[in-house]
Amino acid sequence: MRICRIGEDGLCGGCLRTGEEIAAWSRMHDGERRLLMDTVLPDRGRERHPFLELLPRRERLRTALYPLRHPPAGDGWNRRELDDLLPPASALAEAAVLVGLVPRADRGTQVLLTRRTDALRHHGGQVSFPGGRVEPDDAGVLGAALRESHEEIALEPEQVVPLGYLDPFLTISGFRVTPVVAAVDPAYVARPHPDEVAEVFEVPFDYLMASSNLRQVEIEYSGRRRSVLEYDWPDQRIWGATAAILYNLRRRLEEGA
């Protein structure tokens, strides 16, 4: 698997498991996996990634998210809105995005976003999270999110601490997207892939979680009026799937899911 690379400390840079734990994963019972994912790996993450201490909401986030050991199943939460535009659920392609939270000592937590190049086939020119299609040799949606983030903006797996998943979201381009929420080392240096990413920028988490900054816009598309979510942010239009994923994060935090 692409992200399971054992470092000099004997741990995988992406998932923080040892080689023995990776090899034994399929033989573990649920209690062993739960202990590893909920206790052992978070403790290792805190030791290896001191920037986690700058993320004050990390425990609240973990409570609100689907746990890493159980990626969410089922259809996208927005299926009804797009039902007349989408193929059957069995024909949807699996994809993943990284909702990166960057804890900065001077500016508070920031959300890592990109603007896609205009020439891309899907959603060209739009603001998005790093991510893309889940490939056969990815370690599931988590592996895909980490791989795509590395390919698109050179974000190293060692600089990412996954926290959990949001609800799947469907796109009009035929993807079932699983958002992976993660803490990102504020020392990262983005190097955008010129064929995919035109710009990398950050927006304050508190701004994106404030309901007053999110508006609902009615548009005409494919013969009917539809609701689209949108944020106002200087020089950027944060809307569509990206805004909807952030809305889903806000609702899960509010509801303490």
Side-chain angles (χ1 to χ4, degrees), residues 107-212:
R107 292 185 283 132
T109 302
Q110 305 287 307
V111 178
L112 175 62
L113 293 167
T114 70
R115 182 169 58 81
R116 297 163 67 86
T117 59
D118 294 332
L120 287 175
R121 178 182 176 187
H122 296 300
H123 311 291
Q126 294 185 14
V127 170
S128 67
F129 298 105
R133 183 189 295 267
V134 178
E135 301 294 349
D137 54 349
D138 283 328
V141 291
L142 175 56
L146 293 174
R147 174 184 55 77
E148 287 281 351
S149 298
H150 183 261
E151 291 176 359
E152 290 184 6
I153 64 172
L155 183 61
E156 297 292 344
E158 293 82 1
Q159 295 180 299
V160 180
V161 181
L163 302 173
Y165 307 101
L166 292 171
D167 295 292
F169 183 84
L170 305 182
T171 70
I172 59 173
S173 49
F175 289 93
R176 177 186 179 273
V177 181
T178 301
V180 179
V181 180
V184 174
D185 189 341
Y188 84 92
V189 177
R191 297 191 299 277
H193 191 298
D195 294 335
E196 299 186 57
V197 177
E199 182 180 359
V200 179
F201 63 101
E202 297 177 1
V203 177
F205 179 84
D206 288 342
Y207 175 90
L208 295 169
M209 293 297 103
S211 59
S212 59

Side-chain angles (χ1 to χ4, degrees), residues 21-110:
E21 289 165 344
I22 294 169
W25 181 258
S26 62
R27 302 190 301 274
M28 291 181 182
H29 56 68
D30 286 345
E32 291 174 320
R33 290 177 180 174
R34 187 176 300 113
L35 176 64
L36 184 65
M37 298 298 290
D38 293 350
T39 302
V40 177
L41 297 186
D43 286 345
R44 286 180 191 166
R46 282 188 287 272
E47 293 174 2
R48 187 167 184 172
H49 304 293
F51 64 85
L52 275 174
E53 299 304 316
L54 297 175
L55 187 66
R57 304 173 181 84
R58 60 188 181 277
E59 296 307 322
R60 184 181 169 203
L61 280 162
R62 284 196 174 102
T63 301
L65 301 171
Y66 291 94
L68 291 172
R69 66 180 181 275
H70 288 311
D75 217 345
W77 61 269
N78 62 323
R79 177 88 203 199
R80 181 176 298 179
E81 181 70 20
L82 302 180
D83 203 41
D84 59 323
L85 298 175
L86 294 171
S90 60
L92 292 169
E94 291 293 324
V97 297
L98 187 80
V99 183
L101 308 181
V102 188
R104 296 200 177 277
D106 57 341
R107 292 185 283 132
T109 302
Q110 305 287 307

Side-chain angles (χ1 to χ4, degrees), residues 221-235:
Y221 186 83
S222 192
R224 58 172 276 204
R225 294 193 66 78
R226 304 175 194 273
S227 297
V228 177
L229 296 174
E230 181 177 4
Y231 291 90
D232 284 322
W233 184 250
D235 302 321

